[in-house]
Amino acid sequence: MPGGYIGKILRVDLSKGSITEEGLPPDDILRKYVGGLGLGLKMLTDELPLEVKPLEPENRLIFMTGPLTGTPVMSANNTTIVCLNGETGYTVGASHSHGYLGPYLKFAGYDGFILQGAARTPLYLWIRAGKVELKNASHLWGKDTHEAEDMLKEEVGDQGDTAVATIGPAGENMLCGSLISNERYHLFSKASVGAIMGSKKLKAIVIDSRGGKPFHVNDGPALLKTALEWRKSALSPVVWSSLGPKGTHMSRWRYNADHPPKDCFVRAGKYTTAVRNLSDPELSPGWRLKIRTGAVKFKVTPVACYNCNRACTYSAEVTEGPFKGYVATLTGGGETFEASAGLIGVDEPGAAFFLCDYMDRMGFDSSTPGSAISLAYECYERGLLTKENTDGLELKWGNYEAAKELLDKIVKREGFGAVLADGPKEAAERIGGDAPKYVIHVKGTSMNMHDWRGAWGTLLGQCIAGAGPCWQAPGVDAYAPEPDLGYPELSEDPISADGKAEAVWKTQCKKLWEDCIGICWFAAWSVPGSLDFERRAIAAATGWDDFTVDEELNVGKRIITLQRIFNMKRGMTVENDLDVGQRLLDPPDSGPGKGKAFGDYLPGMVKEYYSLAGWDPDSGEPLPETIEVLGLQEEAPDL
Amino acid sequence: MNEVLLIDPSKCTGCRSCEVVCSMVKEGEVGIYNSRIKTQRFPDEIFFLPRVCFQCDSPYCIPACPSEAISKNRESGVVTIDAGLCTGCSLCLDACPFGAITMPHAVAVKCDLCGGEPECVKYCEAEAITYDTPREISRDKKNVIAVLRKLGTLD
């Protein structure tokens, strides 16, 4: 077995109640797919029958680490779930989370585990070094993610060395957009993985690292040397989320009063913050400033993931306003604030922090219910909905109390909540009238929430991502350039179609390779020299000394095309890549993109992207020579 | 006065970088349970405490060792365990009030400051671990001891 891998995975069949150990595939397969997303996708493609639906017992949740997970390389803490996507129903699902789960899993003796089948009564999976059990979780069913985590930690006698991942009520009720919370700060939030876990009646996964064993890498000193140089490069000013001065962590720096508020607009562009269902981009800068000005007074404490010097995760105690004293446990960037508060015009900072945290507690990725809720707010403001339709709730911009009540109704599929419970596209059709004109969605579900009409490359990336809307193809229009791919600066014209398909294609190859090796994307995104650091780290860990940067990008390309094959076998067509909510396609009424319609250019950009990927530009079908070059003949027999 | 590893728990984010790096350097393996430095995590309290040998002036471990395997180098200040003399009786583990000695294999091991260039410090951008003379931040060091006492049993 190459270094960096344990060489063992678990298969947990919840229908049978059986737990078995299996080996990893042979070296040639490992080198082709490496780990994480790639290896998980290869396994899923090989064993998932075509006719299976996402919430049926046969669907898999494949948790997979990479060869660098757990190692001294910066932020080497990734675990990826691969499954049939619970939101789209016909694409791959890919969901990443960090924290301690992946490293602890490897110390407990496994590279990953496959969940399949469905239990009759609620269970949780308890993984310890040398002992793996399914335990009764009836007492945890119905608890929110934070309560369930606390109860489980108490139950297993945690002393700070246990990772607990749980679903909330949203996952138990198998709702669109439900997530798996990984120690409350880190969330597997894409592809409705929470609903799939709920359909299997598995409430939680507990990984206890105590008594675990260290693992082997091929060349420790070389790995350490690379790790240290990589960390230094990650502090380079080009990187979007570098540490503040004197080692201030990302989370603390974001809310540092000395950090001029205007700086927080520089990287993302002034008008990309998602506010009021994207109805008026001019409101974007003001909302952002108000939240941030309030939040700098909150008590922010960084809580880092395993081996990470960024510490983008943090606890925040609200220190003033109606939510004074509330402690929220949050991660990373602004997406969740925009999805749960910005979209409905909530600009009370404490309320915004509360709503983000409440989404986590209920077990929701905020963007999916957030987009459905914000659609309802806009329809209400426009008179399309009245109190009679909304169970008496007054859905006026900024009403956070109504948003909480509405979310509770969605979780229970109760009254008006049931209208919104199956994603924003479905909600628009159910509300009827002009509602489909206002809806934000990509492939029926929601995206990583910012107003990407101010960054067309990134929006294109959300539309063509093979795992449904997610961060698979960032482009170079917002937040961070990608110097290793020939983009030392952000693009000059983010609101245009020129060169977007190419930037999206190139950044996707890099990102999907990085999704395989076991690191957090924040350790690699826009870091100068990252491709070479990754090559050296993989060589040092596994012993693949002749691994090249081209081979890295080829792993990315292989995954992109294998995702396409997986999706097309399940009926996906070009139409699905153009299945985008009208609000995103239509020209904004204000802001810098005023009058320019992304929708007019989307079909052309999609065609251009298909050509770059080596697919037929009209049908999106991978060309025979592409399949041959990438070595996917076995995976694509009937295309 | 010699330089030692100084800990400021108020700066620690609990990421365990110090442990995995130490394991790689000292054991040649990727792990967190065979490192010389340990970070005790208290996620509920959001409190994280790296624990490592203070290279005490009058170490508790030295008189506890029946085979005289532990000695303090008066020049460098480093307290070391002679693996050849150590019988693995673990009395030093009990004697150290700070839990700074461990026994991942047959003999006891502890921090030796990597010969004057401690690797963990290089990976701690938060500056929760620094390499300095204790006089500079002796107050912080006392705080650590106070916290350790308050927490009681740590292992």
Side-chain angles (χ1 to χ4, degrees):
Chain A
M1 184 55 48
Y5 295 99
I6 309 299
K8 243 182 348 187
I9 58 168
L10 284 170
R11 185 179 294 273
V12 181
D13 188 324
L14 290 145
S15 297
K16 295 180 189 154
S18 66
I19 300 166
T20 45
E21 287 186 357
E22 294 177 8
L24 278 182
D27 286 17
D28 59 323
I29 299 287
L30 286 183
R31 194 156 166 165
K32 268 174 93 173
Y33 296 98
V34 187
L37 171 61
L39 200 52
L41 177 61
K42 167 68 178 155
M43 290 172 175
L44 187 72
T45 308
D46 286 352
E47 65 178 65
L48 187 72
L50 278 181
E51 66 283 0
V52 172
K53 300 278 174 266
L55 299 181
E56 291 176 355
E58 287 88 340
N59 194 6
R60 310 290 201 258
L61 282 178
I62 303 180
F63 288 67
M64 194 56 65
T65 62
L68 298 182
T69 304
T71 68
V73 165
M74 176 179 166
S75 312
N77 48 39
N78 187 275
T79 309
T80 303
I81 301 178
V82 187
C83 59
L84 174 63
N85 192 313
E87 293 177 357
T88 63
Y90 57 85
T91 67
V92 176
S95 197
H96 305 280
S97 181
H98 306 91
Y100 292 78
L101 187 140
Y104 286 0
L105 180 65
K106 283 177 83 169
F107 297 140
Y110 304 99
D111 292 295
F113 55 93
I114 301 173
L115 303 177
Q116 63 189 71
R120 267 180 232 99
T121 55
L123 298 174
Y124 75 86
L125 176 65
W126 190 9
I127 300 176
R128 281 172 287 175
K131 194 169 186 189
V132 185
E133 291 173 90
L134 284 165
K135 305 271 284 184
N136 175 27
S138 301
H139 57 301
L140 303 166
W141 207 251
K143 301 290 178 199
D144 77 32
T145 56
H146 293 192
E147 289 168 337
E149 179 190 324
D150 288 342
M151 287 169 75
L152 277 167
K153 286 194 165 177
E154 176 92 36
E155 199 166 315
V156 302
D158 173 50
Q159 292 176 326
D161 297 312
T162 309
V164 176
T166 82
I167 57 170
E172 292 172 10
N173 298 336
M174 296 180 269
L175 298 171
C176 185
S178 40
L179 54 72
I180 302 172
S181 162
N182 169 13
E183 287 201 274
R184 71 188 63 187
Y185 295 96
H186 328 281
L187 309 154
F188 290 100
S189 62
K190 288 294 165 193
S192 270
V193 287
I196 298 169
M197 195 154 126
S199 75
K200 301 189 178 310
K201 279 261 184 333
L202 188 71
K203 176 69 180 177
I205 296 150
V206 179
I207 300 177
D208 194 336
S209 65
R210 283 169 294 180
K213 286 198 183 74
F215 61 91
H216 172 74
V217 289
N218 192 61
D219 185 345
L223 189 66
L224 278 175
K225 188 170 183 291
T226 307
L228 199 57
E229 287 175 33
W230 190 338
R231 287 173 93 98
K232 298 258 184 287
S233 185
L235 301 180
S236 138
V238 74
V239 182
W240 74 285
S241 55
S242 49
L243 298 178
K246 292 180 190 161
T248 316
H249 287 91
M250 180 180 157
S251 45
R252 202 167 258 167
W253 182 230
R254 273 166 65 87
Y255 302 111
N256 189 322
D258 300 331
H259 179 184
K262 67 176 172 55
D263 280 7
C264 68
F265 299 133
V266 174
R267 290 284 185 192
K270 266 193 178 182
Y271 299 93
T272 52
T273 306
V275 182
R276 287 199 187 179
N277 200 41
L278 313 191
S279 59
D280 186 359
E282 289 288 353
L283 297 171
S284 181
W287 179 82
R288 196 155 155 169
L289 197 59
K290 184 149 187 228
I291 296 289
R292 200 182 167 284
T293 308
V296 294
K297 295 171 198 148
F298 296 172
K299 193 181 162 219
V300 170
T301 316
V303 183
C305 290
Y306 177 84
N307 190 18
C308 181
N309 62 356
R310 285 260 152 93
C312 74
T313 43
Y314 58 101
S315 136
E317 185 185 333
V318 179
T319 52
E320 55 183 37
F323 290 89
K324 187 175 174 179
Y326 189 83
V327 179
T329 51
L330 301 166
T331 292
E335 282 168 24
T336 183
F337 287 106
E338 290 167 46
S340 52
L343 276 184
I344 51 169
V346 171
D347 60 3
E348 205 294 307
F353 276 63
F354 167 76
L355 283 174
C356 288
D357 206 55
Y358 195 66
M359 288 272 191
D360 292 355
R361 280 180 174 267
M362 291 297 108
F364 262 134
D365 170 29
S366 49
S367 70
T368 301
S371 301
I373 292 173
S374 71
L375 172 71
Y377 270 60
E378 180 160 351
C379 290
Y380 187 93
E381 289 274 356
R382 287 176 180 271
L384 197 58
L385 289 171
T386 64
K387 276 190 184 174
E388 280 181 23
N389 314 103
T390 64
D391 308 331
L393 292 174
E394 194 172 33
L395 304 183
K396 292 192 106 37
W397 298 130
N399 187 348
Y400 50 80
E401 282 154 348
K404 182 194 172 285
E405 273 188 62
L406 192 46
L407 195 69
D408 288 339
K409 283 175 179 290
I410 293 175
V411 168
K412 293 180 200 141
R413 270 189 193 280
E414 185 184 281
F416 185 58
V419 174
L420 308 182
D422 296 295
K425 187 184 180 189
E426 189 65 36
E429 277 160 26
R430 287 175 189 168
I431 293 170
D434 279 345
K437 279 192 193 168
Y438 316 133
V439 68
I440 303 165
H441 82 80
V442 177
K443 292 189 172 70
T445 181
S446 201
M447 55 180 187
N448 296 83
M449 189 52 66
H450 296 292
D451 187 351
W452 297 125
R453 294 170 308 171
W456 283 17
T458 315
L459 184 49
L460 176 65
Q462 295 279 333
C463 298
I464 55 79
C470 61
W471 277 113
Q472 285 206 331
V476 290
D477 284 341
Y479 290 113
E482 197 57 90
D484 279 23
L485 298 174
Y487 297 102
E489 309 269 350
L490 287 173
S491 72
E492 281 185 3
D493 188 4
I495 305 167
S496 91
D498 290 344
K500 303 305 178 204
E502 192 183 354
V504 161
W505 161 248
K506 285 184 175 168
T507 51
Q508 190 181 21
C509 294
K510 181 171 189 279
K511 168 69 166 59
L512 295 198
W513 147 256
E514 284 154 355
D515 284 352
C516 298
I517 57 180
I519 58 159
C520 172
W521 186 37
F522 282 9
W525 187 16
S526 82
V527 172
S530 48
L531 282 171
D532 200 50
F533 292 133
E534 290 154 10
R535 179 192 64 74
R536 286 165 54 192
I538 285 290
T542 62
W544 299 332
D545 290 332
D546 53 347
F547 216 89
T548 63
V549 167
D550 279 348
E551 191 171 347
E552 294 178 345
L553 296 175
N554 272 333
V555 172
K557 288 176 191 172
R558 187 173 297 119
I559 295 167
I560 294 170
T561 292
L562 185 52
Q563 287 185 153
R564 190 75 187 179
I565 292 167
F566 180 98
N567 298 349
M568 288 190 76
K569 279 184 180 172
R570 285 163 179 81
M572 184 184 179
T573 65
V574 184
E575 292 308 308
N576 297 116
D577 277 338
L578 305 175
D579 183 17
V580 177
Q582 204 59 39
R583 179 47 55 76
L584 296 170
L585 298 173
D586 284 347
D589 294 335
S590 66
K594 185 179 172 180
K596 281 193 81 174
F598 177 76
D600 292 347
Y601 296 85
L602 178 62
M605 288 191 281
V606 166
K607 271 192 179 196
E608 198 185 335
Y609 168 83
Y610 287 172
S611 297
L612 289 161
W615 306 344
D616 181 276
D618 295 313
S619 68
E621 193 174 314
L623 298 171
E625 56 265 35
T626 307
I627 287 170
E628 200 184 319
V629 168
L630 298 173
L632 291 170
Q633 295 93 330
E634 273 178 39
E635 286 74 17
D638 43 5
L639 274 175
Chain B
M1 193 167 263
N2 298 110
E3 291 173 311
V4 294
L5 289 176
L6 301 173
I7 306 294
D8 184 349
S10 71
K11 289 183 178 169
C12 179
T13 61
C15 77
R16 315 195 83 149
S17 292
C18 51
E19 291 171 85
V20 67
V21 167
C22 181
S23 162
M24 195 83 253
V25 172
K26 294 296 179 192
E27 298 280 333
E29 288 178 309
V30 179
I32 46 175
Y33 296 111
N34 53 4
S35 56
R36 304 334 184 216
I37 187 164
K38 297 270 154 197
T39 300
Q40 192 73 38
R41 302 182 79 250
F42 299 89
D44 287 351
E45 293 81 10
I46 317 181
F47 179 75
F48 310 108
L49 180 65
R51 291 180 285 134
V52 69
C53 177
F54 294 134
Q55 319 294 344
C56 304
D57 269 350
S58 308
Y60 292 91
C61 53
I62 291 180
C65 179
S67 50
E68 296 184 359
I70 311 178
S71 58
K72 183 173 172 80
N73 182 320
R74 283 295 152 194
E75 208 165 296
S76 66
V78 182
V79 179
T80 46
I81 302 174
D82 185 328
L85 293 176
C86 176
T87 60
C89 73
S90 82
L91 281 174
C92 55
L93 273 68
D94 294 336
C96 175
F98 313 112
I101 304 180
T102 54
M103 210 158 69
H105 308 297
V107 295
V109 294
K110 63 176 287 303
C111 170
D112 63 1
L113 298 177
C114 295
E117 272 192 58
E119 291 292 326
C120 53
V121 174
K122 298 178 191 168
Y123 290 78
C124 188
E125 284 93 347
E127 298 176 349
I129 313 167
T130 48
Y131 187 53
D132 209 340
T133 51
R135 200 176 308 154
E136 306 293 325
I137 61 161
S138 57
R139 203 169 60 96
D140 291 345
K141 186 173 163 183
K142 279 180 197 149
N143 287 345
V144 173
I145 295 166
V147 170
L148 276 163
R149 291 217 171 110
K150 190 179 166 205
L151 293 169
T153 54
L154 280 169
D155 259 332

